[in-house]
Amino acid sequence: MFVRKYHINPETLRYERVRATRKQRVRFLVSISLGLIALAILMRFGFERSFPTPRQIIYHKENKVLRSELSSLNAELQEVEFQLAELRNRDDRFYRAILSLDPVPASMRSVGTGGSQRGIVLQNMRDPGMVLEVSQRIEQISNKMRIQSSSLDRVYKEAIDNQHFLTCRPSINPISPGDPTWLTSSYGFRMDPFTKKRAAHHGIDLAGPLGLDVHCTGEGTVTIAHVSRHGYGKEVVVDHGYGFTSRYAHLDDIHVKAGQKLKRGEVIGTLGNTGRSTGPHLHYEIRKNGHPVNPMYFFYENLSAGEYSLLASRANMSVNPYAPNAMSQK
Ligand SMILES: [Zn+2]
């Protein structure tokens, strides 16, 4: 600060004011200005912190709402991803399996799951956080959907082209999933319950209560409906064409006769304990060109009752006795 200074002039013997030099004046003005600027900045930020403007209050509230929305969106995306994975699973394990199409290669499924242009832009933000995560997830889901959609287009085309083959091919569980049965013996080698020796089992055994309805698994013609002399008890064999036959053995009762044409889902008889059988069960067998194949590849245990009914009814909606509300009646 400038303090007025005086000195005695030896010539005039008077007090005279000491004048500041130009340099001193400039230095003084610069320090005053810098001080004022610093004070203004401090006041502004200190004031804003203690007394935000109405606009800042609105922004703050909006930001809070947006963050909460983003968080819910993230949770919903998780559900979408789950549904998409289910669809992919069905596509590969069910739709494609029925049509004898190979599953979509994993390399193709993972295409486009890397970073995106938008992701790179967001990464440059100071705090991209959840926005970046949501954005990347949406992009990945959209890529997966595109691949799934083209896969289903192929499945649809194949289904249209092979409608008759699909109608005939054994494709469902011979016992409704709504009925109480359990797998007691699977396809392949096992210990024969009678000879106690290792022997090939050419089908699957489904145990359940006596008298349960047994359904034809694909359109075809009955070739055998009799009491077997080879231990199968009361058995029915259906020729589905395209090299496929199916056998239903140890039946309690037979409802069809040789030469009869059947639709998928029609009841051919009831679960029994006839022939070489240690308890009530159905021996179900599928052969392709005379060679036994694993029936488990031809139906899926985890199909829901609705899906099973839908599949069964694909043969002929009007004739098929397999109405959804008949599924659990027993
Ligand atoms: Zn068996």
Side-chain angles (χ1 to χ4, degrees), residues 139-256:
E139 190 133 354
Q140 284 176 7
I141 288 171
S142 128
N143 284 333
K144 284 180 187 169
M145 296 259 271
R146 213 170 27 246
I147 290 161
Q148 188 56 64
S149 168
S150 76
S151 168
L152 288 178
D153 283 348
R154 168 90 203 279
V155 166
Y156 179 72
K157 189 183 174 304
E158 203 73 21
I160 295 292
D161 292 349
N162 298 286
Q163 226 159 11
H164 187 247
F165 166 68
L166 288 175
T167 307
C168 298
R169 189 183 195 264
S171 304
I172 58 173
N173 191 325
I175 298 201
S176 163
D179 288 333
T181 49
W182 56 97
L183 187 73
T184 50
S185 190
S186 48
Y187 179 87
F189 282 92
R190 64 160 187 185
M191 187 75 80
D192 188 292
F194 285 92
T195 62
K196 306 290 179 201
K197 283 183 182 162
R198 211 169 116 84
H201 186 226
H202 292 151
I204 55 166
D205 290 344
L206 294 163
L210 212 65
L212 217 57
D213 280 349
V214 173
H215 302 267
C216 177
T217 55
E219 191 174 298
T221 309
V222 179
T223 52
I224 294 173
H226 66 185
V227 179
S228 162
R229 278 181 290 171
H230 305 285
Y232 285 122
K234 289 184 184 173
E235 65 164 344
V236 170
V237 174
V238 178
D239 184 354
H240 301 279
Y242 303 96
F244 285 110
T245 58
S246 58
R247 166 176 274 126
Y248 313 81
H250 310 301
L251 298 172
D252 189 52
D253 202 6
I254 294 177
H255 293 352
V256 293

Side-chain angles (χ1 to χ4, degrees), residues 57-101:
I57 293 170
I58 292 169
Y59 284 162
H60 184 70
K61 277 185 184 163
E62 278 182 358
N63 198 17
K64 223 172 158 182
V65 171
L66 284 174
R67 276 184 182 280
S68 146
E69 281 298 304
L70 212 51
S71 173
S72 334
L73 193 61
N74 215 4
E76 279 171 35
L77 282 180
Q78 208 164 358
E79 177 60 24
V80 173
E81 279 170 338
F82 176 74
Q83 300 282 356
L84 194 58
E86 276 281 290
L87 187 61
R88 185 184 61 195
N89 201 23
R90 281 167 179 281
D91 183 22
D92 284 344
R93 292 189 53 221
F94 177 48
Y95 308 134
R96 286 184 166 257
I98 286 179
L99 290 160
S100 305
L101 289 173

Side-chain angles (χ1 to χ4, degrees), residues 99-148:
L99 290 160
S100 305
L101 289 173
D102 289 333
V104 176
S107 56
M108 190 188 247
R109 292 256 189 221
S110 61
V111 163
T113 52
S116 66
Q117 203 57 38
R118 199 190 313 152
I120 292 162
V121 172
L122 286 169
Q123 255 163 358
N124 293 332
M125 281 171 61
R126 194 168 51 86
D127 180 21
M130 211 184 281
V131 183
L132 179 65
E133 190 187 331
V134 168
S135 159
Q136 284 176 340
R137 283 178 91 171
I138 289 177
E139 190 133 354
Q140 284 176 7
I141 288 171
S142 128
N143 284 333
K144 284 180 187 169
M145 296 259 271
R146 213 170 27 246
I147 290 161
Q148 188 56 64

